[in-house]
Structures are given as structure tokens and as C-alpha cells.
Amino acid sequence: EMQLVQSGAEVRKTGDSLKISCEAAGYNFNNYWFGWVRQVPGKGLEWMGIIYPGDSDTRYSPSFAGQVTISVDKSVKTVYLQWSSLKASDAAVYYCARHRNLAAVDDAFELWGQGTVVTVSS
Amino acid sequence: QSALTQPASVSGSPGQSITISCTGTTSDVGNYNLVSWYQQHPGKAPKLIIFRGNDRPSGVSNRFSGSKSGNTASLTISGLQGEDDADYYCSSYAGSGISVFGTGTKVTVL
């Protein structure tokens, strides 16, 4: 059964770049959609975007398009979320998650990682 | 896409039933039968409890059920139990591979 293991907590300064990761142990990595969800402390969940490792097709929420980049490395079964220049407002817990069904772009997130805390200071 | 609208809080006594609403638009909830619901306990990752409107993943209690009318989806928790004390989020597909979450509801078991 697949598991999602995210990289550890990060502390950065505003303007820094950052790339966090989500490794998917298990099979059929290429054929599921994987996504990222932001949760600012004390606030709700925000859907950021999804990626399909099979062909790197990526979809972004309009709220996050141009602000982050979602990518994948199939050779190590890992999806990434990266920033080129962090803002204070990027401080949050970031979850990676996987859709329920193979190749279904319109699906729910059934499998979740443990979350990565990103702290941004000025 | 704007966040779907949920009540900030709902409460109930053990054994009672409660319903959480999730209001969207004709571009998301009203256009697709693809609403899902997630339960989140403090400090934990969300857990999928309802998908495709009213389907439950294996292992999820049948005390959770979903429905939809027009642009509003609902989650009903029957036979409320202490372990149901958590935050609940709806989510809807909104087309072009994009989904949107609700604002979240804090459920308190009195």
C-alpha cells in the first residue's frame, strides 16, 4: 500500500527559495494524481494544485498559479512544491495528498502525507 | 475559485444528529456530483470520510452521510460520538482539474 512521506520542517527568511518534497512508497506512482494543500495555522485547508507523474500534467488553483511550482521526479517517486521567493504569508503546514482512483483528475484526496511545517521570518 | 461556505461551528450532544452545510455555486457544487468531506483532528492530517457526494471509503463509519441540493451539499453525522469532535471540510470539483475546499466547520460534542 502506498504511503506518502514528506520532508521535514523548514525555517527560511523572506525572499529565500525553498523546495519541499513528498515521497510515495508503493506502486503505481505514475498513474495517480498527487496534490498539495496549504493550511495556515488556525485556518482552513486550501487546495493548491495537482500533478500527474505519468506526463507531468499540472493544474494550479488560480490563487496559487505563478506563486509556487509543483514538479515530479518519477525516478525517485517524489513530488515537489517549490517557491522562488518566500513571503511571510507562505508560513503554513503543507500537506501532500493522492487522489483515490488511478488517473482520475476530478477525485478526492484519499491518502495524505504527515505535513511539512514551513516557517518564514523576516 | 472562492472557498465554499460552511458554518463556523456546529454542536450537538452525544447520540444526536447534526448537519453541516457547504454552499458553493453553479461552477462547482451545483455543476458536479463530486463533493467530498474531510475530518481533521488537531495536529493531524485530514481524513477523507465522504467522496462523490455520498460514498464512504472503506472503514469509515456509516454514521457519516452526504447529500446535495442545488448549490449546497450537506454532511450529516448521526449518533454523535465524542470522537467526532473535530474540524470538517467540504471540497468540490470545479472543472479543469481544479477543486476547492470549504471554509471549515468546528464540530463540538457537548
Side-chain angles (χ1 to χ4, degrees):
Chain A
E1 182 178 315
M2 189 177 287
Q3 291 185 343
L4 302 180
V5 179
Q6 298 185 228
S7 50
E10 301 278 2
V11 179
R12 292 286 190 276
K13 294 187 182 300
T14 54
D16 284 353
S17 62
L18 176 63
K19 191 174 189 177
I20 62 174
S21 66
C22 171
E23 182 178 355
Y27 54 89
N28 266 330
F29 173 78
N30 289 351
N31 301 120
Y32 283 99
W33 286 86
F34 291 83
W36 289 95
V37 175
R38 182 174 81 175
Q39 187 166 38
V40 173
K43 302 296 185 182
L45 305 176
E46 298 174 90
W47 193 96
M48 301 178 72
I50 53 174
I51 189 165
Y52 188 72
D55 59 4
S56 297
D57 187 359
T58 310
R59 314 291 174 92
Y60 292 97
S61 163
S63 300
F64 291 94
Q67 307 304 308
V68 297
T69 300
I70 296 172
S71 60
V72 62
D73 185 338
K74 291 188 287 187
S75 68
V76 291
K77 296 186 178 181
T78 299
V79 296
Y80 302 95
L81 177 65
Q82 70 179 89
W83 296 260
S84 58
S85 181
L86 284 162
K87 307 180 186 68
S89 56
D90 293 320
V93 178
Y94 292 87
Y95 292 101
C96 76
R98 192 207 74 190
H99 276 180
R100 286 193 70 252
N101 290 306
L102 289 166
V105 71
D106 57 354
D107 211 353
F109 287 131
E110 181 173 49
L111 187 63
W112 292 73
Q114 82 275 21
T116 295
V117 177
V118 173
T119 302
V120 183
S121 60
S122 55
Chain B
Q1 274 76 18
S2 297
L4 310 176
T5 300
Q6 298 181 231
S9 63
V10 173
S11 62
S13 299
Q16 287 186 327
S17 292
I18 61 169
T19 297
I20 303 168
S21 61
C22 169
T23 301
T25 69
T26 54
S27 297
D28 38 61
V29 175
N31 197 34
Y32 303 95
N33 289 318
L34 294 171
V35 173
S36 52
W37 290 89
Y38 300 85
Q39 177 192 63
Q40 187 181 34
H41 288 106
K44 301 294 187 182
K47 174 188 175 183
L48 178 67
I49 56 173
I50 295 286
F51 63 95
R52 295 193 183 272
N54 193 26
D55 289 336
R56 287 183 305 278
S58 174
V60 172
S61 172
N62 60 7
R63 297 185 299 104
F64 295 96
S65 62
S67 62
K68 191 187 87 165
S69 177
N71 296 338
T72 298
S74 298
L75 173 72
T76 297
I77 309 175
S78 58
L80 204 59
Q81 299 180 1
E83 65 207 48
D84 301 331
D85 198 295
D87 294 326
Y88 291 83
Y89 295 90
C90 62
S91 177
S92 175
Y93 185 65
S96 300
I98 295 168
S99 294
V100 60
F101 281 106
T103 50
T105 299
K106 168 65 180 168
V107 168
T108 301
V109 181
L110 301 171

